[in-house]
């Protein structure tokens, strides 16, 4: 199953096996024509669905005034700092703002995507989506601006498909 467009953003998932009432699958994102994720990693479809459901709670609600005017590097540093810091103020901001669930797209597939690449999504004031990604161990942050709800539509299409498996 492919939801979205590989040339911009897509979610791909393929059922591999059903065993003991678990559905095992392969999962990855496609960003700007590049495959993002370990396609050989067996994942549990139900876990992916739960993470995607949580991500979708914030559809159209990923805009934060301080984030919209930041450069890609500033935005990356801010979200990474808030979501990984032990500082009590950062932790409070992260928990109250639900930063991990709202902005960290790679958290949908921690064992597949996050092992290779980190992916952040932020909505601009005009609804356009800023998609930022960086391979682990690399300092090069890449950015693409997509039409309103492009990523949410692809994730939503994945969920609709998954619900029938």
């Amino acid at each position: 199953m492919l939801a979205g467009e590989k040339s911009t953003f897509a979610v791909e998932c393929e059922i591999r096996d059903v065993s003991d009432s678990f559905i095992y699958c392969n999962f990855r994102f496609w960003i700007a024509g590049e495959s993002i994720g370990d396609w050989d990693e067996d994942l549990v479809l139900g876990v992916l669905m739960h993470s995607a459901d949580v991500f979708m709670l914030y559809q159209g609600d990923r805009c934060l005034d301080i984030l919209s005017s930041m450069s890609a590097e500033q935005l990356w540093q801010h979200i990474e700092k808030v979501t990984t810091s032990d500082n009590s103020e950062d932790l409070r901001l992260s928990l109250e703002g639900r930063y991990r669930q709202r902005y960290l797209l790679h958290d949908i597939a921690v064992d597949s995507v996050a092992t290779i690449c980190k992916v952040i999504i932020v909505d601009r004031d005009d609804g356009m989506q800023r998609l930022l990604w960086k391979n682990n161990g690399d300092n090069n942050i890449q950015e693409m601006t997509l039409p309103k709800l492009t990523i949410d539509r692809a994730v939503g299409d994945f969920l609709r498909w998954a619900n029938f498996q």
Side-chain angles (χ1 to χ4, degrees), residues 142-160:
Q142 299 178 70
E143 181 175 12
M144 177 187 300
T145 302
L146 299 169
K148 184 177 183 176
L149 300 177
T150 298
I151 295 165
D152 300 276
R153 280 190 202 98
V155 173
D157 288 347
F158 157 70
L159 282 169
R160 281 184 282 287

Side-chain angles (χ1 to χ4, degrees), residues 4-142:
E5 297 292 327
K6 286 183 179 182
S7 62
T8 54
F9 179 81
V11 175
E12 185 174 17
C13 187
E14 179 180 282
I15 303 299
R16 296 273 308 244
D17 190 21
V18 177
S19 177
D20 298 326
S21 74
F22 289 102
I23 299 173
Y24 294 94
C25 61
N26 303 107
F27 184 92
R28 64 182 163 196
F29 295 139
W30 286 89
I31 301 175
E34 179 184 350
S35 169
I36 308 290
D38 182 354
W39 189 247
D40 294 327
E41 184 69 31
D42 283 335
L43 304 172
V44 176
L45 183 61
V47 174
L48 293 169
M49 291 172 65
H50 173 73
S51 297
D53 278 333
V54 171
F55 176 79
M56 291 299 289
L57 292 174
Y58 302 98
Q59 178 176 323
D61 189 20
R62 294 189 187 92
C63 186
L64 193 59
D65 290 339
I66 65 166
L67 302 180
S68 60
S69 63
M70 291 181 174
S71 70
E73 291 78 17
Q74 292 170 323
L75 179 58
W76 191 277
Q77 288 173 357
H78 174 75
I79 291 178
E80 187 172 70
K81 176 181 174 278
V82 170
T83 57
T84 61
S85 176
D86 289 335
N87 175 287
S88 61
E89 183 58 27
D90 290 335
L91 183 58
R92 182 193 62 74
L93 181 61
S94 179
L95 292 173
E96 287 178 4
R98 310 279 296 174
Y99 267 58
R100 292 194 71 81
Q101 299 86 347
R102 185 182 308 265
Y103 303 112
L104 302 185
L105 186 61
H106 60 265
D107 271 5
I108 290 176
V110 173
D111 293 332
S112 171
V113 175
T115 59
I116 294 171
C117 185
K118 303 296 186 252
V119 185
I120 293 174
I121 174 178
V122 174
D123 294 339
R124 294 189 332 197
D125 294 337
D126 62 3
M128 300 288 281
Q129 295 187 305
R130 293 178 70 183
L131 179 64
L132 292 84
W133 69 100
K134 179 174 84 165
N135 290 330
N136 295 342
D138 190 357
N139 291 325
N140 184 29
I141 298 168
Q142 299 178 70

